[in-house]
């Protein structure tokens, strides 16, 4: 079975039909640039451009980089604040004329990783963290998701953690891998203190370069592994969430 998945990110909106049996894209994905400012109307148009690129008439799952409850956006750390309070499912569903499910981007990536990637068959407490423009989190207990955990906004040394330890912080401050890994380590220690997970899965684009920073992280009890679906986890997880609604 196939469902369409769309991942709304800070720089791009990308999507493709997803083969739910394989947990992979059924066709090559299409990407458009995220408009700036990333207003509700502009982003909805971008999603429509992506979906229209395919001959798609079924259900669509969509990720959003903020808290989403019942289809409504509650926070917008790295997108236009006009999103707060918008019923994204209604807005985008109306634009597409198709049934849609909207969920947090890290939750979507986590759902995909727990079934098809690094979290497969893992019980206990598993936390996926995505490092990118912000830090996203997905918390699982025995495979069940606790949605919208927003652990990227924990306070770390008096700062919003994602402003110190995201990959954007690494780029903005031109941090070495060593320096950045130290910040990530402090952040993981803090999350571990709160939840004592068995496993951390490190996602986001930087998971491709895991060998550059994971070996530098010490003193965390939990196992730490890179995500396996990498760039497509959000698209696959969005489609999975939409199929089970
Ligand atoms: C947002 C989260 C999101 C993460 C990754 C954070 O700033 O608050 O909802 O999952 O960025 O995009």
């Amino acid at each position: 079975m196939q469902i369409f998945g769309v991942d709304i990110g800070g720089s791009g909106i990308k999507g493709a039909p997803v083969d739910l049996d394989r947990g992979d894209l059924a066709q090559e994905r299409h990407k458009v640039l995220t408009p700036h400012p990333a207003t509700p109307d502009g982003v909805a148009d971008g999603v429509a451009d992506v979906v229209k690129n395919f001959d798609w008439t079924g259900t669509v799952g969509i990720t959003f980089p903020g808290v989403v409850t019942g289809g409504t956006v509650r926070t917008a750390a790295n997108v236009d604040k006009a999103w707060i309070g918008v019923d994204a499912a209604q807005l985008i569903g109306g634009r597409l004329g198709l049934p849609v499910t909207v969920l947090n981007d890290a939750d979507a990536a986590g759902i995909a990783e727990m079934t098809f990637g690094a979290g497969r068959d893992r019980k206990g407490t598993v936390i996926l963290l995505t490092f990118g423009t912000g830090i996203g989190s997905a918390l699982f207990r025995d495979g069940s998701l606790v949605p919208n955990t927003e652990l990227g906004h924990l306070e770390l040394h008096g700062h919003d953690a994602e402003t110190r330890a995201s990959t954007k912080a690494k780029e903005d401050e031109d941090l070495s891998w060593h320096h950045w890994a130290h910040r990530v380590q402090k952040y993981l220690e803090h999350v571990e203190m709160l939840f004592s997970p068995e496993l951390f899965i490190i996602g986001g684009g930087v998971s491709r370069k895991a060998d550059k920073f994971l070996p530098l992280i010490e003193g965390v009890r939990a196992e730490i592994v890179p995500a396996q679906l990498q760039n497509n986890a959000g698209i696959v997880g969005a489609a999975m969430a939409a199929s089970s609604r």
Side-chain angles (χ1 to χ4, degrees), residues 64-67 75 77-78 104-106 130 133-137 150 153 162:
F64 184 84
V67 171
T75 69
N78 294 306
N104 174 262
D105 55 359
T130 62
T133 310
I135 298 177
S137 63
E150 293 292 317
H153 297 296
E162 73 173 22

Side-chain angles (χ1 to χ4, degrees), residues 4-5 9-10 22 53-54 77 82-84 89 163 166 168 181 207 211-212 237:
F4 202 97
R22 289 191 297 116
N53 208 58
F54 299 81
W83 272 104
I84 297 171
T163 65
S166 62
K168 179 170 185 295
S207 59
D211 57 321
K212 294 223 188 299

Side-chain angles (χ1 to χ4, degrees), residues 41-229:
D41 275 330
V43 171
D45 285 343
V47 173
D49 285 346
V50 169
V51 178
K52 277 187 200 132
N53 208 58
F54 299 81
D55 205 9
W56 188 260
T57 52
T59 301
V60 179
I62 301 166
T63 76
F64 184 84
V67 171
V68 183
T69 57
T72 297
V73 171
R74 304 296 179 187
T75 69
N78 294 306
V79 280
D80 198 89
K81 300 285 179 256
W83 272 104
I84 297 171
V86 169
D87 186 334
Q90 196 178 53
L91 173 72
I92 303 175
R95 195 72 51 106
L96 297 175
L98 298 173
V100 308
T101 294
V102 185
L103 76 162
N104 174 262
D105 55 359
D107 284 345
I111 290 170
E113 285 292 332
M114 291 303 284
T115 303
F116 295 108
R120 206 173 345 175
D121 301 326
R122 296 296 297 245
K123 297 278 182 250
T125 302
V126 176
I127 298 179
L128 170 130
L129 297 166
T130 62
F131 290 83
T133 310
I135 298 177
S137 63
L139 170 66
F140 293 85
R141 179 68 193 165
D142 289 338
S144 294
L145 172 70
V146 181
N148 292 310
T149 43
E150 293 292 317
L151 301 182
H153 297 296
L154 286 174
E155 192 179 308
L156 193 63
H157 302 308
H159 299 271
D160 184 348
E162 73 173 22
T163 65
R164 306 281 297 162
S166 62
T167 47
K168 179 170 185 295
K170 179 182 185 303
E171 283 155 23
D172 288 352
E173 297 181 51
D174 202 13
L175 302 178
S176 65
W177 284 107
H178 208 272
H179 193 159
W180 183 67
H182 181 70
R183 290 190 183 181
V184 173
Q185 174 175 324
K186 291 286 167 217
Y187 173 64
L188 294 179
E189 284 172 0
H190 191 64
V191 177
E192 180 161 74
M193 187 265 292
L194 293 170
F195 296 101
S196 298
E198 276 81 30
L199 175 68
F200 280 118
I201 302 174
I202 306 298
V206 78
S207 59
R208 269 186 310 238
K209 299 183 184 149
D211 57 321
K212 294 223 188 299
F213 68 99
L214 286 190
L216 303 174
I217 294 176
E218 293 166 350
V220 177
R221 273 193 321 274
E223 188 184 347
I224 310 173
V225 297
Q228 288 173 4
L229 281 78

Side-chain angles (χ1 to χ4, degrees), residues 7 11 28 35 39 41 65 69 72 76 106 156 158 181 207 240 243:
D7 195 17
S11 59
E28 200 173 321
T39 57
D41 275 330
T69 57
T72 297
L156 193 63
S207 59
M240 290 173 70
S243 79

